[in-house]
Amino acid sequence: METVIEAAVALLDESGESALTFRALAARLGGGVGSIYWYVSNKDELLDRATDHVVAGILADLENMRDAEDPIDNIRAIAETVFAAIVQRPWLAAYFMRNTTIQSNALELYERIGEQAMRLDLSPRQAFHAVSAVLGYVIGVAADLGQEPPQEVIDGTTSREAYLGRVVDQWRALDAAKYPYMHYIVDEFEGHDDADQFRSGLELILAGLRLQAGRGEDATSAESSRG
Amino acid sequence: METVIEAAVALLDESGESALTFRALAARLGGGVGSIYWYVSNKDELLDRATDHVVAGILADLENMRDAEDPIDNIRAIAETVFAAIVQRPWLAAYFMRNTTIQSNALELYERIGEQAMRLDLSPRQAFHAVSAVLGYVIGVAADLGQEPPQEVIDGTTSREAYLGRVVDQWRALDAAKYPYMHYIVDEFEGHDDADQFRSGLELILAGLRLQAGRGEDATSAESSRG
DNA sequence: TCGATCATAGAACGCCGTTCGATATGTCGC
DNA sequence: GCGACATATCGAACGGCGTTCTATGATCGA
């Protein structure tokens, strides 16, 4: 059983999502396709279990992280750990938190972040929303950044740099009057680092969270901070 | 051509992602599978074009929205419009912004948000990161919330409420000492509204953004707001 | 009327997830 | 030692998928 999902994870890591087929997995295990169905009733379940397996690893990493005094520092550290894990295994994002019944470790992760949120004296609703926001952001951005590059990059026809260069050229060719923003940021995009991009957005959320901390429920709705 | 992608969108809207097959699409159009390949070289391209088609509709909606004085109010309004569109069509999230070459309207959407970000006197880097964060969050959360419910809910064996009820029961059964956060928020989860959840997280980002507005580049790194 | 181009159609291919019945491999009560 | 029964393995077969290919209609300027 453990063997099966470890082989599945290995396949996903080595050759991506499309490489995980029952036939390929059976071949790797030196057995028949039918055998896999003894341990797993479904491909969905296989993926859920594979995901939960690596989330367990993430949790173990978090275990070795010692608590900072500031809860927000802790949330930041957890978020960055999760993000790094997804970047390393882009297939994770799509299955993360899809099924908390099977993925018990996902629930554990919620708890870890939530406990830090509670230390900020947030109301239940605020805490719930805060954790959802952080994890939603982490997974969303990671999924976006970790998506499979276009075919031409995969097969080596074009380097990643050349591909990004083409996109940049396309943007620079846009009408500057119609697309002031695109021209404003194109240089930034050209030399951008995915991890920086992620961290900056995370800081926005954390800054918002700090404003909310310990202000009590009714000061919470950001409506009150408008205008 | 237009007919083809409109039929594809209709299929996706009516019966979800798995219902869009070349055979089903051909049947709906009253033709053969081969014909579709005349207009589209690929299923990926079909999905990209379908996505771009509905993003065009979103942009049209934004067109009818009149500008507020506060750029952040505008960003909020755009984000909520996009979110609502994805909730209505869960399949959108997965393909959004996958290919800006074909999806020229996605680029347009970037521009719309970016122009508001520029009005906040952000540096190019800040503006770039802000737009990425907002869209990453919107798509990430929408994808999460919009994911296909489990099979039992789809086929009507279990109602959505009963399913959520079971999850809630599972959470309540957790050891309160080990899972203080889960118990803290379970009531909130039970009666939660997806749109509220989304909005709350968005406000965190917007609050962070407002702090950044007009403070110049070096005040930007949230490092400086730590501790 | 005749090529050339545009457009359609569906059989065929290879791969996929999944099902199923046949078949070993232990592990008991007796 | 032996039948009985759960545990585990296997690969052929099924239906559905994306995609390719070849054959066939339409349309129309020359």
Side-chain angles (χ1 to χ4, degrees):
Chain A
M1 173 67 191
E2 198 73 354
T3 325
V4 172
I5 73 153
E6 264 162 18
V9 170
L11 227 38
L12 286 165
D13 285 351
E14 288 163 20
S15 324
E17 210 165 330
S18 64
L20 178 61
T21 69
F22 277 72
R23 283 165 177 81
L25 184 54
R28 189 187 190 96
L29 292 166
V33 263
S35 312
I36 302 170
Y37 280 90
W38 178 256
Y39 299 97
V40 140
S41 69
N42 219 311
K43 186 167 190 186
D44 271 353
E45 191 188 320
L46 177 66
L47 281 161
D48 277 334
R49 297 206 119 95
T51 305
D52 204 49
H53 182 75
V54 327
V55 174
I58 298 178
L59 284 173
D61 288 351
L62 293 180
E63 216 61 63
N64 297 332
M65 217 179 64
R66 79 172 182 299
D67 269 20
E69 208 174 315
D70 182 359
I72 286 190
D73 285 347
N74 288 326
I75 295 178
R76 179 188 296 106
I78 296 174
E80 283 179 353
T81 303
V82 173
F83 178 77
I86 302 184
V87 166
Q88 228 178 335
R89 313 189 204 244
W91 55 273
L92 261 187
Y95 302 101
F96 227 89
M97 328 233 120
R98 215 181 35 170
N99 187 339
T100 45
T101 308
I102 292 181
Q103 296 191 30
S104 60
N105 287 319
L107 195 142
E108 194 84 26
L109 185 57
Y110 255 97
E111 177 69 27
R112 292 276 198 289
I113 303 178
E115 285 173 14
Q116 299 301 322
M118 286 175 75
R119 289 180 56 202
L120 294 172
D121 293 321
L122 302 183
S123 70
R125 168 173 295 224
Q126 288 176 320
F128 172 56
H129 287 163
V131 174
S132 303
V134 169
L135 267 177
Y137 172 76
V138 171
I139 296 172
V141 173
D144 192 28
L145 298 180
Q147 72 189 237
E148 304 253 316
Q151 187 57 41
E152 50 185 341
V153 174
I154 292 178
D155 62 21
T157 311
T158 315
S159 76
R160 198 184 114 87
E161 286 70 28
Y163 171 72
L164 283 183
R166 269 217 329 263
V167 173
V168 165
D169 288 345
Q170 191 192 333
W171 289 10
R172 287 217 172 91
L174 293 170
D175 180 353
K178 262 198 76 182
Y179 294 92
Y181 167 74
M182 285 294 167
H183 281 86
Y184 189 59
I185 57 98
V186 65
D187 289 343
E188 210 51 61
F189 175 79
E190 193 170 22
H192 86 283
D193 172 60
D194 284 353
D196 274 351
Q197 196 179 334
F198 165 75
R199 259 182 244 117
S200 297
L202 180 61
E203 293 306 335
L204 292 179
I205 295 181
L206 296 180
L209 215 45
R210 197 181 293 282
L211 284 181
Q212 232 178 38
R215 286 198 317 182
E217 174 75 39
D218 40 33
T220 187
S221 151
E223 308 291 306
S224 63
S225 73
R226 273 204 215 169
Chain B
M1 173 64 190
E2 197 73 355
T3 324
V4 172
I5 72 152
E6 266 161 16
V9 169
L11 227 38
L12 287 165
D13 284 351
E14 287 164 20
S15 323
E17 209 164 333
S18 63
L20 180 62
T21 68
F22 277 72
R23 284 164 176 83
L25 184 55
R28 188 189 190 95
L29 292 167
V33 263
S35 311
I36 301 169
Y37 280 87
W38 209 93
Y39 298 98
V40 140
S41 69
N42 219 313
K43 187 168 188 183
D44 271 354
E45 191 188 322
L46 177 66
L47 281 161
D48 277 334
R49 298 206 119 95
T51 304
D52 204 50
H53 182 75
V54 326
V55 174
I58 298 178
L59 285 173
D61 289 351
L62 293 179
E63 216 60 65
N64 298 330
M65 218 178 63
R66 80 173 182 297
D67 268 21
E69 207 173 316
D70 182 359
I72 287 191
D73 285 347
N74 287 326
I75 295 178
R76 179 186 297 108
I78 297 174
E80 283 179 353
T81 302
V82 173
F83 177 78
I86 302 183
V87 166
Q88 228 178 335
R89 312 188 204 243
W91 55 272
L92 261 186
Y95 303 101
F96 228 88
M97 331 232 120
R98 217 180 33 172
N99 188 336
T100 44
T101 308
I102 292 182
Q103 296 190 31
S104 60
N105 287 318
L107 195 142
E108 195 82 27
L109 185 56
Y110 255 98
E111 176 68 27
R112 292 277 198 287
I113 303 178
E115 285 174 12
Q116 300 301 321
M118 287 175 75
R119 290 180 54 205
L120 294 171
D121 294 321
L122 301 182
S123 71
R125 168 173 295 225
Q126 288 176 319
F128 173 56
H129 287 164
V131 174
S132 303
V134 169
L135 266 177
Y137 172 77
V138 171
I139 296 171
V141 172
D144 192 28
L145 298 180
Q147 72 189 237
E148 304 254 316
Q151 187 56 42
E152 47 184 343
V153 176
I154 293 178
D155 60 23
T157 311
T158 314
S159 75
R160 198 183 114 87
E161 286 71 27
Y163 171 72
L164 284 184
R166 270 217 327 264
V167 174
V168 165
D169 289 345
Q170 191 191 333
W171 289 10
R172 289 218 171 91
L174 292 170
D175 179 353
K178 264 197 76 183
Y179 295 92
Y181 168 74
M182 284 295 168
H183 280 86
Y184 189 60
I185 57 98
V186 64
D187 289 342
E188 210 50 62
F189 176 79
E190 193 170 20
H192 86 282
D193 173 61
D194 284 353
D196 274 351
Q197 196 181 336
F198 165 74
R199 261 182 243 118
S200 297
L202 180 61
E203 292 307 333
L204 293 179
I205 296 181
L206 296 180
L209 215 46
R210 197 181 294 281
L211 285 180
Q212 230 178 38
R215 287 199 314 185
E217 174 76 40
D218 41 32
T220 187
S221 151
E223 309 292 307
S224 62
S225 74
R226 270 206 219 170

